[in-house]
Amino acid sequence: MKKIAVFTSGGDAPGMNACIRAVVRSSLFYGLQVYGIYKGYNGMIAGEIKELHSQSVSNIIQRGGTILKSARSEEFKTKEGRAKAYENLKTHGIEGLVAIGGNGTFTGAELFHAEYGIPIVGVPGTIDNDLYGTDYTLGFDTAVNTALEAIDKIRDTADSHDRVFFIEVMGRDSGYIAMECGIGGGAEIVLIPERDDSIDNVISTLRDGFNRSKTSSIVIVAEGEEIGNANSIARLVKNKLKQLDIRVTTLGHIQRGGAPSGYDRTLGSRLGLAAVEGLMKGMSNVMAGMVNNQLIYTPFGDTIRKKKQINQDLMRLVQILSI
Ligand code: F6P
């Protein structure tokens, strides 16, 4: 293998730049030529491909977002789109790919590999931390810290006004961000899709707190929570507990930006090197991840289809501490 390319796809995540840098620098270290594909699969289809050099990735390790830009590509879901993408890779002589992204990215990669046989190694990059085959995904740690900073601030105003705040955090189908924010932010209630929650429980917990003279409360709601979003849950609670002064905050995309934490910089760097070394060893159709601080490669099929189990100890902790 002489030429490889790297791209970022799906939602951007802090630490992606550290990973791009590691892919570029380790490729050069091993004497490979390395290309950057811009805007994810869309750029692969449109031929937005440029050679990267050591200086191309200078001064980016500390930056959030992705210098390669990202997209969620509809066109890559079509046979014609993938055919165009393959032609562009062939034109540049690219023989291997490093795909940094989440579930959708690896679903596309698995299909592309099945059709064209091009070796692809993935790196888990999503703030949601919902990928099987790694304890942490790039950006999760930073997103939790960003959300915690906001939650701490909300707590000040909640306490000053004796209010209940419903705070919605990201996590399309998962409660990892919510759970860690609940623990770190000292929330009274955490609602996540991995558990069967009920409005009645939320109401009785808040009522009990109120009866025990609790003056303010924080309820963290994961975006993917099945009983509703923060606004609709807050409305239902207000209908039953009219005495509560309730406000809602949705943290949104603020959680995706900002300088990556030290953890995400190291994780991105380690997995970037692991992806390049994986390709050089002839691996393909796998994601590099860290489980118990050990590097492992998991087939895309498993990362896509197996459900990463939420840590039961943390669930228990949330339950015990949020009384
Ligand atoms: O990348 C993950 C994520 O931030 C989810 O938590 C969220 O549901 C989704 O992306 C939002 O995607 P978009 O930025 O495309 O609206």
Side-chain angles (χ1 to χ4, degrees):
M1 194 171 285
K2 295 220 164 53
K3 286 188 189 181
I4 67 164
V6 55
F7 65 100
T8 47
S9 155
D12 60 327
M16 280 183 164
N17 280 330
C19 186
I20 295 165
R21 174 179 176 270
V23 170
V24 171
R25 298 260 163 103
S26 41
S27 298
L28 298 174
F29 175 84
Y30 285 118
L32 302 175
Q33 246 179 306
V34 59
Y35 288 76
I37 301 170
Y38 290 78
K39 302 183 193 155
Y41 289 119
N42 281 346
M44 206 183 282
I45 294 167
E48 293 187 53
I49 302 172
K50 270 196 235 149
E51 188 171 356
L52 298 174
H53 307 280
S54 189
Q55 291 87 340
S56 318
V57 291
S58 295
N59 201 21
I60 66 164
I61 195 165
Q62 78 285 11
R63 285 170 52 191
T66 158
I67 60 156
L68 293 179
K69 301 190 179 278
S70 194
R72 301 189 195 276
S73 176
E74 284 306 313
E75 207 182 342
F76 198 74
K77 291 181 184 157
T78 67
K79 246 189 169 343
E80 299 72 39
R82 294 193 294 277
K84 277 193 216 159
Y86 182 66
E87 280 311 308
N88 284 326
L89 297 182
K90 245 183 26 193
T91 306
H92 286 86
I94 291 163
E95 301 154 295
L97 292 172
V98 175
I100 309 170
N103 214 290
T105 306
F106 301 153
T107 304
E110 194 189 36
L111 199 57
F112 198 45
H113 177 264
E115 286 173 348
Y116 296 101
I118 182 151
I120 311 175
V121 174
V123 173
T126 162
I127 63 164
D128 286 1
N129 199 29
D130 58 348
L131 284 170
Y132 179 90
T134 192
D135 289 338
Y136 289 97
T137 55
L138 283 184
F140 170 67
D141 183 64
T142 308
V144 167
N145 282 297
T146 303
L148 279 176
E149 230 183 282
I151 292 164
D152 290 349
K153 289 177 177 152
I154 290 170
R155 189 174 272 291
D156 290 345
T157 176
D159 181 52
S160 304
H161 283 267
D162 292 345
R163 280 175 170 160
V164 175
F165 265 85
F166 285 80
I167 305 175
E168 186 173 305
V169 297
M170 273 188 166
R172 189 175 15 213
D173 306 305
S174 70
Y176 290 95
I177 298 178
M179 202 172 56
E180 296 225 352
C181 285
I183 296 168
E188 274 65 27
I189 302 173
V190 181
L191 301 173
I192 56 174
E194 289 85 350
R195 204 177 40 199
D196 282 336
D197 296 308
S198 78
I199 288 284
D200 288 346
N201 253 338
V202 177
I203 292 169
S204 63
T205 307
L206 289 173
R207 184 186 287 124
D208 291 352
F210 189 78
N211 290 340
R212 290 198 317 271
S213 311
K214 210 180 238 296
T215 54
S216 69
S217 296
I218 300 282
V219 181
I220 305 286
V221 184
E223 181 189 356
E225 166 60 29
E226 281 167 1
I227 59 173
N229 62 24
N231 270 307
S232 61
I233 297 171
R235 228 175 293 123
L236 292 171
V237 171
K238 181 68 182 173
N239 281 340
K240 295 276 181 201
L241 300 175
K242 302 229 175 340
Q243 69 276 33
L244 296 186
D245 191 7
I246 295 178
R247 292 292 184 274
V248 179
T249 302
T250 300
L251 296 184
H253 285 77
I254 191 171
Q255 296 159 93
R256 285 243 293 262
S261 64
Y263 183 84
D264 278 328
R265 296 179 199 199
T266 304
L267 184 66
S269 303
R270 289 179 81 179
L271 295 181
L273 171 65
V276 173
E277 289 183 337
L279 281 175
M280 291 177 65
K281 285 182 194 144
M283 289 180 184
S284 182
N285 222 17
V286 292
M287 179 194 83
M290 289 285 171
V291 173
N292 296 328
N293 210 25
Q294 296 298 311
L295 173 65
I296 62 155
Y297 296 90
T298 304
F300 281 147
D302 288 349
T303 67
I304 298 162
R305 284 174 274 278
K306 287 195 178 164
K307 177 96 185 124
K308 177 157 139 189
Q309 293 306 321
I310 205 135
N311 185 328
Q312 290 301 318
D313 285 343
L314 295 187
M315 290 263 263
R316 214 167 66 83
L317 191 60
V318 167
Q319 230 135 18
I320 293 172
L321 301 187
S322 61
I323 50 168

